[in-house]
Amino acid sequence: MSEPDLDADGYLIDLDGTLIAGRSVLPDATWLLEQVRGRFVIVSNNAEHTPDQLARALRGMGLGIDREQLLLAGTAAIDTIAEECPGASVLLLGSASLRTYARRSGLRLDSPRPDIVLVARDRHFSYSRLAAAAEALSDGAELVVAAPDRNHPGANGKPVPETGALAAAILACVGPVPHRVIGKPEPALFEMGCARLGIAAQNALMIGDNPETDGLGSKRIGMRFLRVERGLIRATKPQLQHVAI
């Protein structure tokens, strides 16, 4: 068994496909987190949960990760909008927990003429929500997408729909309107992660499974990238640890 050189000042670590797959902990997740303890931030395109929610779920799976160590595209997008446009009116296509988070951040939801359409992972996405988003954008609202991923791998290896698939449906209605993406591979999450760790990008290492998001994003800001395949960081045989939560 060989182990990689983990010699960076700090680590940005992907979640789905790197540490977990669905409700299964991937082979080297526990080992990795022990090696980089106190020097990492989880940087995920998760656009459904809050850090509090996800930290509880991960602890239930045996991964001791605190909310302060979770940087998620959905809540990061809300934080960014709240900071740049305090009190903005937002049409938020997302989970109930993100809607609560947005209200607590001072944003106004459900206005008939929103300033911003924010697309997150919305399990209740429907024709009426698609129509509302298209109408708001045609009236001049700004479009923000919390993450570009169209799917992520589930525990059985089959695709699970993600935010990017919903955004693609909206763009199919309104055309290629200018829009802002907060999630990987855009630089915002990477920069937030480095800022939280107090390190420069060139002194950090991104660990993830997706070269199109984790790899490309880290390359754009001069960060090294360690690719993980099937949760394997050390040279060993793949083996999923199935945990019921």
Side-chain angles (χ1 to χ4, degrees):
M1 180 181 295
S2 61
E3 298 180 356
D5 292 328
L6 298 175
D7 58 353
D9 290 348
Y11 300 85
L12 275 58
I13 305 175
D14 176 52
L15 185 60
D16 289 298
T18 300
L19 298 180
I20 63 173
R23 295 184 177 183
S24 297
V25 177
L26 288 169
D28 287 337
T30 301
W31 174 85
L32 173 62
L33 294 178
E34 184 61 36
Q35 301 305 306
V36 301
R37 185 168 300 280
R39 296 182 293 149
F40 75 90
V41 172
I42 303 298
V43 180
S44 170
N45 273 354
N46 183 302
E48 180 176 7
H49 303 101
T50 66
D52 282 329
Q53 281 182 310
L54 196 52
R56 287 194 299 270
L58 292 172
R59 285 195 296 270
M61 297 170 70
L63 297 178
I65 297 172
D66 298 328
R67 65 176 303 281
E68 294 80 10
Q69 295 171 308
L70 289 165
L71 188 53
L72 311 179
T75 50
I78 292 170
D79 291 341
T80 299
I81 293 170
E83 180 180 352
E84 296 180 357
C85 307
S89 172
V90 178
L91 172 58
L92 172 54
L93 305 181
S95 65
S97 57
L98 283 193
R99 291 175 64 83
T100 298
Y101 186 94
R103 289 192 179 97
R104 289 175 178 171
S105 299
L107 300 179
R108 295 180 292 116
L109 306 186
D110 303 319
S111 167
R113 291 185 64 88
D115 305 312
I116 297 168
V117 174
L118 172 57
V119 185
R121 189 171 183 230
D122 182 2
R123 292 178 186 251
H124 299 286
F125 190 75
S126 63
Y127 183 90
S128 62
R129 294 193 186 193
L130 174 61
E135 180 178 346
L137 293 171
S138 67
D139 286 340
E142 177 186 354
L143 176 60
V144 179
V145 180
D149 295 353
R150 298 194 178 197
N151 61 70
H152 74 259
N156 58 5
K158 295 181 180 180
V160 177
E162 273 290 356
T163 306
L166 309 186
I170 294 169
L171 291 171
C173 286
V174 300
V177 298
H179 60 281
R180 182 178 185 181
V181 177
I182 299 295
K184 299 177 293 185
E186 299 306 316
L189 279 187
F190 296 90
E191 293 168 350
M192 291 176 192
C194 289
R196 189 167 294 187
L197 292 171
I199 59 175
Q202 60 267 29
N203 297 325
L205 176 67
M206 177 73 216
I207 301 175
D209 69 311
N210 191 335
E212 296 181 1
T213 54
D214 305 316
L216 178 59
S218 56
K219 180 180 179 180
R220 284 176 174 173
I221 66 169
M223 184 186 300
R224 291 181 295 154
F225 171 55
L226 174 63
R227 185 178 181 183
V228 175
E229 295 189 37
R230 295 169 298 179
L232 298 176
I233 300 168
R234 301 172 291 176
T236 186
K237 294 182 180 180
Q239 181 179 1
L240 283 178
Q241 304 168 30
H242 294 285
V243 181
I245 61 172

